[in-house]
Amino acid sequence: MPDHLIPVMAGHLIRADPGFMSTIELPEYAPVPQSATGPAVNEHGYYVGRVERNLYWVTDGGYQAAFLTTADGVVLFDAPPTIGHNLQRAIDEIAAANGVPNKVTHLVYSHHHADHIGASSLFGPDVVRIGHAETKRLLARTGDPARPAPDLTFDTKHALEVGGETVNLAWHGSNHTPDNIYIHLPGHETLMLIDVVVPGWASFAAFNVNVDVPGSIAAPDNALDYPWKHFIGGHLGRLGTRDDLTLHQHYLADIVDNVRTALATVDPMPFYARYGDNVWAAVKAYLDTASAQAAAPVVEKYSGVLGAADVFITSTVFVILESLRLDLGEGLYIHP
């Protein structure tokens, strides 16, 4: 690969100044374990594979979507823009091989975020779009033509029936976003829950940028209450298993335990004494120190177990630390 092309994710390159790599020093990270990697993409930049029976998944190595083929048409689950037109190519490939319709008739939104449904408009105005009621409200506020608001909405549960197949959609409270839903295909032993657990990987920056930290910590418990064998988490290159969600629970429990220890043992007073009137500097130094102390044993334990265990850990720990303080009131004391 030429030096001036930098891989961002499978099938995507950015062009950089040829002198770029010699002008900055990039950090070193632990190797990604083989267990975190998925299948290679094809010459078009995507991989499509069977999940179970007539349910398939598509990935570009960075994002994931899924689709269900039926005699009455295709139900698509999410439409990430990085996969874009490759979604229809993947559907066409499977439909041609199996002699089934290739027209997308229904598009289920997992939540409102553009990185997961920003290619929705590619499927035209006649597709029935389904999502949570809050998804419709949030998209109406945004007014993004690439993400038409859902036509059919629900508050807590909806059973979508297409071509003799049933898909159970449910909202169990906010987690990654206020509208993120659980998509269960009981006839295919599959659960789709986006942006909460990335199978084989540690959390993305700032704990997956979750708006509801307690809800996101609890979400894997809700997911494991469903009967399923295959898990679609929305990111990177492979499907998940129940063991992946259990491992994620252990990872979060270790972070929470270490944060509680840091809150109980890191004394903030030396930082205030050092920075005097610069309160923000004192707070930053205290929180950075507590976060680093809580992160270190997590990195040691999960490097080689989860991909990128050392990459976003400090920001993830910081977000969970602040949630424990602000949402749960831990580490805060009433002045005597």
Side-chain angles (χ1 to χ4, degrees):
M1 180 182 297
D3 291 341
H4 59 286
L5 293 178
I6 300 175
V8 178
M9 62 180 68
H12 300 269
L13 301 173
I14 60 172
R15 188 172 300 275
D17 183 332
F20 172 77
M21 300 301 289
S22 62
T23 60
I24 65 170
E25 183 175 345
L26 296 176
E28 296 290 336
Y29 295 109
V32 173
Q34 189 64 35
S35 60
T37 61
V41 299
N42 62 19
E43 67 275 14
H44 297 293
Y46 72 89
Y47 168 86
V48 59
R50 189 191 304 271
V51 180
E52 190 89 20
R53 297 196 299 111
N54 55 331
L55 176 66
Y56 299 85
W57 69 296
V58 188
T59 182
D60 61 356
Y63 281 82
Q64 300 174 351
F67 63 91
L68 184 66
T69 62
T70 80
D72 295 338
V74 176
V75 182
L76 178 62
F77 303 94
D78 278 355
T82 64
I83 305 178
H85 289 280
N86 278 338
L87 289 167
Q88 189 64 59
R89 292 187 183 99
I91 292 168
D92 291 346
E93 176 185 335
I94 296 301
N98 297 320
V100 295
N102 67 343
K103 180 174 175 54
V104 175
T105 59
H106 296 76
L107 174 49
V108 176
Y109 289 173
S110 64
H111 64 302
H112 72 284
H113 277 172
D115 63 330
H116 288 280
I117 62 168
S120 173
S121 61
L122 297 181
F123 296 92
D126 297 331
V127 172
V128 178
R129 294 171 170 86
I130 305 107
H132 191 260
E134 184 69 1
T135 301
K136 185 169 186 174
R137 189 190 72 80
L138 290 166
L139 290 177
R141 182 182 69 180
T142 303
D144 181 2
R147 293 176 284 163
D151 310 289
L152 174 63
T153 64
F154 64 96
D155 290 316
T156 54
K157 293 182 180 180
H158 177 72
L160 174 64
E161 297 186 358
V162 180
E165 302 286 358
T166 299
V167 182
N168 293 321
L169 311 177
W171 181 79
H172 295 293
S174 63
N175 45 71
H176 173 62
T177 61
D179 60 324
N180 202 28
I181 63 171
Y182 297 69
I183 302 168
H184 185 222
L185 295 99
H188 301 80
E189 298 185 279
T190 298
L191 182 74
M192 186 171 182
L193 176 62
I194 301 302
D195 281 341
V196 172
V197 179
V198 181
W201 292 78
S203 295
F204 178 67
F207 188 34
N208 292 331
V209 201
N210 292 317
V211 300
D212 185 336
V213 173
S216 296
I217 291 175
D221 294 336
N222 293 329
L224 287 168
D225 283 341
Y226 284 87
W228 55 267
K229 183 169 65 175
H230 313 288
F231 180 80
I232 302 172
H235 279 285
L236 301 181
R238 73 167 175 86
L239 298 176
T241 65
R242 298 184 75 87
D243 286 344
D244 285 315
L245 266 70
T246 300
L247 177 59
H248 181 81
Q249 289 177 310
H250 292 326
Y251 162 76
L252 291 184
D254 285 338
I255 291 176
V256 170
D257 287 346
N258 290 327
V259 164
R260 286 181 169 138
T261 298
L263 288 174
T265 58
V266 177
D267 183 2
M269 297 315 297
F271 303 101
Y272 287 99
R274 166 65 179 82
Y275 289 104
D277 292 339
N278 193 341
V279 176
W280 270 181
V283 171
K284 180 181 187 304
Y286 164 64
L287 294 176
D288 285 351
T289 300
S291 296
Q293 177 177 307
V298 178
V299 172
E300 181 178 359
K301 181 173 180 178
Y302 289 95
S303 289
V305 178
L306 291 173
D310 55 341
V311 177
F312 292 121
I313 183 63
T314 303
S315 67
T316 288
V317 165
F318 171 77
V319 167
I320 292 175
L321 183 151
E322 282 297 274
S323 176
L324 262 63
R325 292 176 66 246
L326 305 179
D327 294 322
L328 303 183
E330 297 190 22
L332 299 177
Y333 304 97
I334 297 174
H335 191 280

